[in-house]
Amino acid sequence: MANKIRLATTSLAGCFGCHMSLLDIDERILELAELVEFNRTPITDIKHCGDCDVGLIEGGVCNSENVHVLREFRGNCKILVAVGACAINGGLPAMRNFIPLGECLKEAYIDAIGVENAQIPSDPELPLLLENVHPIHELVKVDYFLPGCPPCADVFWKFLTDLIGGREPSLPYELIHYD
Amino acid sequence: MSKTISIDGRQVEFVDGQTIMEAAAAAGVYIPHLCHHPDFTPHGSCKLCTVKVNGRNCSACTFPAQEGQEVLNETDELREDRRMITQMLFVEGNHFCPSCEKSGNCQLQAVAYYLQMLDDHFPLFFASRELDASHPEVMIDHDRCIFCTLCVRASHLDGKEVFAISGRGINKHLIVNSPSGKLQDSALEAGDRAVDICPTGAILRKGIGYRVPIGKRIFDLKKIDAVSLAEQGGAHGE
């Protein structure tokens, strides 16, 4: 079908909880599928983001791959949306910002209880960790923010239906939560 | 004849000696605030209650009401200023609501909700701050302190002077009056006013954090302008 809104989603340093919450729109996803065409998203398994109208970003930026993916989304999406606490302020992964990266890796891969063949992973295929975890607005321009951990399904629904309906997206008080 | 000021065009009565905040509160007009509490001396530090008085920005909690003042409170411009002030408070500390047991009962969060703050806008500081869990009944998570000094003022009223603010700028921090600097060695007791006065999750009473589940807490159900002081007292799970 022509003229469908093209939508891409990804999870960077997130837990996929926001994606699970999107799926919590339940049977409304059939209605959504009438209105949007999914591009890159874990739902389609398309690997790269094409030209899109809307990109939803879950999670903050913790490694070099996150940086590339985020920039690909920004380059290809007319509207970029930070979804959930981690995309907005780094969230739980950013708790490591208070501990030097080397100490984090040592604790996880060398000193942790039950570790065998202790070594810090260094396969060249692995993206390098950044010194700190960043909210996405520190790297790219972000057009909209959907707070919550995760934002509930109605937040996604209200935002997307507003946008698709040509209205300025707005959330009523009961849909604004940071937890 | 009673004296009046105008707030957003509405005539509000006041008596000499009242601040704009006090006159507004008496008339049921909400002006966003965090460091203000009617029981304590005004401090004027959070600046959330910034209003425009005869064309100039003033803190409503410290500015005396005077006959004929034209006060602007609910304007788009002030709402924008207050949202930005709240964003600055968020990025200066470490306010990660999903991992805070005060979430839903937190006035900082509630003001942010009220102002429809959806993001932090500024780069986060990720300041490294200590946790003091030494006291058997009360803990301090310095990550969440906004230096409103309500605990300082409340502890003064408790007759104990347990808290003070030390340092300047980014090094500003809450200190505890005890030989070790730890809360357990201070005079603080669980019944003190200073324990429950914190508008954020910086000073927390232990053992009650999740008595009320997330989603059913004060500001989950009501906007802060509709919550009375007495109801806010319930924020501590009592």
Side-chain angles (χ1 to χ4, degrees):
Chain A
M1 190 179 133
N3 298 327
K4 276 189 173 182
I5 301 279
R6 279 190 304 272
L7 177 70
T9 78
T10 191
S11 179
L12 306 176
C15 70
F16 281 91
C18 296
H19 277 80
M20 297 304 290
S21 192
L22 169 62
L23 294 177
D24 278 342
I25 62 173
D26 298 331
E27 73 277 10
R28 287 176 289 183
I29 200 158
L30 298 175
E31 203 179 320
L32 187 64
E34 292 291 316
L35 300 168
V36 309
E37 175 189 317
F38 286 98
N39 193 269
R40 173 183 170 154
T41 153
I43 301 166
T44 59
D45 210 26
I46 294 171
K47 301 298 183 196
H48 286 279
C49 180
D51 275 346
C52 281
D53 297 296
V54 184
L56 304 181
I57 309 283
E58 168 189 341
V61 178
C62 80
N63 64 31
S64 54
E65 195 228 0
N66 293 159
V67 176
H68 289 295
V69 173
L70 181 59
R71 286 188 176 149
E72 181 182 284
F73 268 71
R74 179 67 279 183
N76 288 299
C77 299
K78 292 188 189 115
I79 294 170
L80 197 69
V81 188
V83 177
C86 303
I88 291 172
N89 63 27
L92 190 73
M95 296 290 174
R96 80 158 160 88
N97 289 0
F98 308 107
I99 303 160
L101 180 58
E103 275 182 45
C104 282
L105 289 167
K106 192 163 167 286
E107 176 68 28
Y109 294 105
I110 307 288
D111 298 336
I113 295 164
V115 168
E116 290 174 21
N117 299 325
Q119 55 177 311
I120 290 172
S122 60
D123 191 291
E125 292 257 328
L126 292 173
L128 287 171
L129 293 175
L130 305 181
E131 185 66 29
N132 282 309
V133 179
H134 300 269
I136 67 169
H137 77 272
E138 290 185 13
L139 279 89
V140 296
K141 180 180 187 305
V142 178
D143 301 299
Y144 293 100
F145 299 85
L146 303 179
C149 184
C152 70
D154 287 340
V155 171
F156 287 97
W157 187 251
K158 178 71 167 61
F159 175 77
L160 290 171
T161 51
D162 274 357
L163 209 57
I164 293 165
R167 297 178 295 274
E168 179 65 26
S170 73
L171 298 176
Y173 182 83
E174 59 272 19
L175 289 184
I176 300 177
H177 286 284
Y178 302 158
D179 54 19
Chain B
M1 199 175 136
S2 61
K3 297 181 175 179
T4 61
I5 57 174
S6 145
I7 302 182
D8 294 332
R10 177 181 159 188
Q11 292 305 305
V12 169
E13 290 186 8
F14 73 96
V15 292
D16 282 334
Q18 271 186 322
T19 60
I20 291 172
M21 177 70 86
E22 286 165 341
V29 175
Y30 175 70
I31 301 174
H33 58 269
L34 287 169
C35 73
H36 167 77
H37 189 290
D39 294 354
F40 306 108
T41 315
H43 191 247
S45 60
C46 77
K47 300 296 168 201
L48 265 173
C49 70
T50 300
V51 289
K52 200 157 257 202
V53 183
N54 297 342
R56 287 179 192 275
N57 283 355
C58 303
S59 301
C61 73
T62 54
F63 209 74
Q66 282 174 28
E67 180 69 39
Q69 279 169 340
E70 299 265 348
V71 180
L72 295 179
N73 175 36
E74 282 294 335
T75 68
D76 288 346
E77 187 188 354
L78 284 168
R79 177 171 279 267
E80 189 62 43
D81 287 347
R82 290 166 179 166
R83 192 187 298 136
M84 204 166 279
I85 288 166
T86 311
Q87 286 168 325
M88 288 194 274
L89 288 173
F90 266 77
V91 302
E92 187 185 21
N94 297 302
H95 299 280
F96 296 104
C97 301
S99 60
C100 177
E101 61 187 68
K102 193 71 175 281
S103 193
N105 287 335
C106 169
Q107 292 173 43
L108 174 63
Q109 188 191 55
V111 162
Y113 289 173
Y114 176 83
L115 297 168
Q116 292 181 295
M117 182 186 116
L118 300 181
D119 71 309
D120 291 331
H121 183 78
F122 301 103
L124 279 77
F125 279 89
F126 292 110
S128 190
R129 299 197 192 161
E130 297 286 307
L131 186 87
D132 181 352
S134 62
H135 194 283
E137 292 171 284
V138 182
M139 61 171 274
I140 306 178
D141 189 335
H142 290 278
D143 278 347
R144 303 165 188 157
C145 182
I146 57 168
F147 316 114
C148 69
T149 75
L150 274 170
C151 61
V152 178
R153 287 174 278 164
S155 189
H156 177 71
L157 215 68
D158 288 329
K160 295 191 177 176
E161 315 285 1
V162 170
F163 298 108
I165 301 291
S166 176
R168 294 179 70 82
I170 197 68
N171 297 315
K172 185 161 62 177
H173 62 291
L174 183 67
I175 53 169
V176 172
N177 181 7
S178 76
S180 64
K182 291 285 182 195
L183 207 53
Q184 65 176 352
D185 301 320
S186 75
L188 189 79
E189 291 169 291
D192 291 355
R193 191 82 200 276
V195 174
D196 290 330
I197 202 69
C198 182
T200 75
I203 301 180
L204 289 172
R205 196 179 279 279
K206 290 182 178 178
I208 59 164
Y210 291 96
R211 252 183 219 168
V212 180
I214 289 201
K216 301 218 180 294
R217 297 181 176 188
I218 297 168
F219 305 114
D220 291 333
L221 307 173
K222 272 188 184 177
K223 275 192 191 183
I224 192 166
D225 63 337
V227 175
S228 70
L229 265 179
E231 286 175 286
Q232 286 190 23
H236 307 281
E238 295 309 296

